[in-house]
Amino acid sequence: MKKDHIALTVPAMGEYAKTVRMTAAELASKIGMTYDEVDDVRMAAEEAFVFACDCLGESCAITFAFALTEESLAIEVGPLPGCDGDHQARVASEGYAEFILKSVCDEFSIDRTAEGGVIRLVHYVAGKREDAGA
């Protein structure tokens, strides 16, 4: 199974949200996702971007690592150094992001590393998931 890797690094500024959304949507379309699946991926990428911007200042950059297979699109966002604290606003933002991302992704997690938080998202192409019973 072939796996393509694409990296996109953008400033943590709202005017780059469209760049992230459109890149994610194009990659989802490339592997044969339906219109609704592409829309879910687009929403997930934007929500991950907004959450990352909440964690970082505008002087920072956000890296999106996309991994494509015939069965799925995985997105890793980070590391996000500002997402390793317990500030109340960040906790509320994370809760909202978690709610949205769990509803539009097949897999979602925010993992803590020494460098900060890393958002991990996976969306499977309908009918192509190897372990479809899972």
Side-chain angles (χ1 to χ4, degrees):
M1 166 183 11
K2 184 180 176 210
K3 187 181 242 184
D4 292 334
H5 296 274
I6 296 93
L8 173 67
T9 302
V10 296
M13 298 166 54
E15 58 257 37
Y16 291 96
K18 184 175 182 179
T19 303
V20 172
R21 276 194 320 265
M22 297 310 294
T23 300
E26 173 59 27
L27 295 173
S29 179
K30 178 179 175 34
I31 61 172
M33 288 190 177
T34 66
Y35 178 83
D36 287 338
E37 290 171 321
V38 170
D39 197 46
D40 285 350
V41 168
R42 182 183 6 241
M43 186 183 304
E46 181 170 13
E47 189 57 43
F49 177 80
V50 169
F51 178 71
C53 285
D54 286 348
C55 292
L56 304 170
E58 283 195 358
S59 62
C60 296
I62 305 168
T63 298
F64 284 75
F66 300 92
L68 288 80
T69 68
E70 292 178 2
E71 294 87 22
S72 68
L73 171 60
I75 306 171
E76 188 172 287
V77 185
L80 308 170
C83 291
D84 54 2
D86 290 326
H87 187 269
Q88 188 64 30
R90 205 163 283 129
V91 170
S93 176
E94 184 174 323
Y96 180 75
E98 181 175 353
F99 173 76
I100 297 295
L101 293 170
K102 279 185 175 180
S103 69
V104 297
C105 295
D106 295 310
E107 295 177 21
F108 160 75
S109 66
I110 299 175
D111 301 329
R112 307 294 183 209
T113 68
E115 294 82 31
V118 177
I119 302 168
R120 290 189 171 83
L121 314 167
V122 179
H123 201 322
Y124 293 95
V125 177
K128 290 190 179 180
R129 187 172 179 180
E130 285 182 17
D131 56 339

